[in-house]
Amino acid sequence: MMWGRRIFAAVLSLLVTLVTGWGVLALWFQLSRPWALAFGAAWCLLGLAVLAVTLIPQGRRYWRQALLACAVGIVAMGAWWQGLKPSHDRVWADDVSQMLESHVDGDIVTLENVRNFEWRTETDYTPRWETRQYDLRKLESSDLILSYWMGPHIAHTLIAFDFKDGRKLVFSLEIRKERQESFSAIGGFFRNFEQVIVAADERDIVRTRSNVRGEQVYLYRLRARPEQLRAVLLDYLERAEKLRQHPEWYNTLTSNCTTILFELARRIAPGLPLDWRLLASGHFAEYAYDQDALAPDHPYAELQQRGFINERAHEADRSGADFSRAIRTGVPGIERP
């Protein structure tokens, strides 16, 4: 009986600690600092009161009052949390200020608000939003791009579509930052950002990572038939249109740049297994390799080594060479230009 009570008290204490910590972080990321501090302190005091009733023998006489206060607090917190709604009506950063709009007429796709910024530094750039037209009959290949910005286990995932006329179109699911706002992986768990699908020129969205931000960028040729690529591209457009009509929260764990690619790929191959590397996005290329989705007849270490584009990207800047051709030089599965 004694052990049962101790186990119950330990489990309850753990739950109270987790709920208290979650509430404090939610308040911190959603409220202005004075209100976050005030409500966060009140939430902590409530958690400490429940812990005192649970752990201190003298406090157990007040367990009913503590549980009632706890229930009221959780209901109030839950109602507030559910009342937070994503919005398109904010002062957005320039690079996510516009949303992709698409029009499909048979094989012809017209895209409005394709991003094609000229980046000199992260704060010095020439903004350009373009209307472009693509013929899906000319879609012939695709590349997986991983950009490492926070160590070897976390990467931003992009997919580039290649057309026979040499044009590239890159899709990326990103946080929709407000002006003067910066990304926070923790904040991404607490409805701190909306999400947006960006369609961009490769020289914009890839070069800014390799040449301007100094991230480590890798490119891999995907194994896919044109009809599969067409389905994935149209799925991206469908998802972008849904976001344009109905804003959604970005979530660091469940709704990010890697999970959307996995969801779209599963429409083509429903048997794709879940894997820990879907969360540790820096290992997503290894996952794709194990699913036979990358160039065949090469070990993964070779694909990774030859897919590293940074040196070629910087050399393209110095020489004025075509950026997309330069970064693909020597990548397995891609014919020599």
Side-chain angles (χ1 to χ4, degrees):
M1 194 71 173
M2 181 68 70
W3 281 107
R5 289 179 180 176
R6 288 179 178 176
I7 292 174
F8 174 77
V11 172
L12 182 59
S13 299
L14 177 61
L15 288 175
V16 170
T17 301
L18 291 175
V19 170
T20 302
W22 179 90
V24 168
L25 288 172
L27 292 166
W28 179 261
F29 282 105
Q30 289 296 331
L31 302 181
S32 61
R33 287 299 168 260
W35 290 108
L37 291 171
F39 282 105
W43 187 252
C44 285
L45 287 174
L46 178 60
L48 290 172
V50 175
L51 285 175
V53 169
T54 303
L55 300 176
I56 302 174
Q58 293 84 350
R60 290 173 186 169
R61 69 186 70 177
Y62 303 108
W63 68 271
R64 290 181 181 177
Q65 295 92 324
L67 288 179
L68 177 61
C70 184
V72 171
I74 290 176
V75 169
M77 178 69 80
W80 167 74
W81 182 252
Q82 291 303 315
L84 298 174
K85 302 299 181 184
S87 173
H88 288 325
D89 187 20
R90 306 190 196 279
V91 182
W92 303 111
D94 289 341
D95 59 333
V96 289
S97 62
Q98 306 298 319
M99 298 199 76
L100 177 65
E101 186 172 351
S102 60
H103 308 277
V104 181
D105 183 11
D107 294 314
I108 305 302
V109 173
T110 303
L111 303 181
E112 297 181 23
N113 296 323
V114 176
R115 202 181 75 194
N116 187 22
F117 282 28
E118 181 66 32
W119 297 90
R120 291 173 288 276
T121 69
E122 288 192 74
T123 57
D124 179 19
Y125 50 83
T126 302
R128 285 194 297 263
W129 296 95
E130 301 176 348
T131 297
R132 294 187 176 187
Q133 197 170 77
Y134 296 88
D135 188 340
L136 296 178
R137 292 167 297 187
K138 296 181 179 180
L139 181 59
E140 63 176 357
S141 59
S142 183
D143 301 306
L144 172 67
I145 301 171
L146 269 65
S147 184
Y148 292 80
W149 54 275
M150 194 176 72
H153 305 299
I154 302 296
H156 186 76
T157 308
L158 310 94
I159 184 166
F161 292 94
D162 309 330
F163 292 83
K164 291 179 181 178
D165 57 7
R167 292 193 299 166
K168 317 293 181 186
L169 180 65
V170 184
F171 286 94
S172 170
L173 185 144
E174 304 191 359
I175 65 165
R176 200 173 189 199
K177 304 186 302 294
E178 298 177 55
R179 276 190 191 160
Q180 310 304 321
E181 194 173 40
S182 58
F183 176 70
S184 165
I186 298 176
F189 287 103
F190 294 96
R191 298 184 175 179
N192 201 35
F193 309 105
E194 283 83 0
Q195 58 178 283
V196 62
I197 289 180
V198 175
D201 187 274
E202 192 166 63
R203 183 172 170 81
D204 170 330
I205 203 165
V206 177
R207 180 183 168 277
T208 186
R209 287 174 162 79
S210 60
N211 293 32
V212 176
R213 299 180 189 169
E215 298 176 8
Q216 305 298 294
V217 184
Y218 294 79
L219 184 145
Y220 305 87
R221 174 53 50 96
L222 291 168
R223 296 179 66 187
R225 300 186 301 276
E227 62 269 21
Q228 292 176 314
L229 298 178
R230 179 187 179 119
V232 173
L233 190 152
L234 290 176
D235 281 344
Y236 262 109
L237 297 183
E238 179 184 345
R239 180 69 177 266
E241 182 61 24
K242 287 181 179 178
L243 283 178
R244 194 174 71 86
Q245 297 291 338
H246 305 286
E248 295 181 20
W249 294 116
Y250 177 92
N251 187 285
T252 301
L253 185 64
T254 62
S255 183
N256 56 53
C257 59
T258 304
T259 58
I260 184 178
L261 183 55
F262 174 73
E263 291 169 7
L264 297 180
R266 253 196 169 179
R267 295 192 187 185
I268 299 173
L272 281 177
L274 293 172
D275 193 284
W276 65 272
R277 290 168 292 189
L278 298 173
L279 301 179
S281 54
H283 300 275
F284 185 73
E286 297 175 57
Y287 170 81
Y289 178 80
D290 289 343
Q291 307 309 313
D292 296 322
L294 302 185
D297 305 324
H298 298 272
Y300 175 73
E302 181 185 354
L303 296 180
Q304 186 180 47
Q305 185 267 325
R306 293 172 61 181
F308 182 59
I309 73 165
N310 285 56
E311 293 181 9
R312 300 190 293 270
H314 285 284
E315 178 58 33
D317 266 6
R318 290 190 291 268
S319 66
D322 181 272
F323 181 81
S324 293
R325 286 176 177 265
I327 64 175
R328 286 172 172 78
T329 302
V331 174
I334 300 178
E335 295 182 5
R336 185 178 181 85

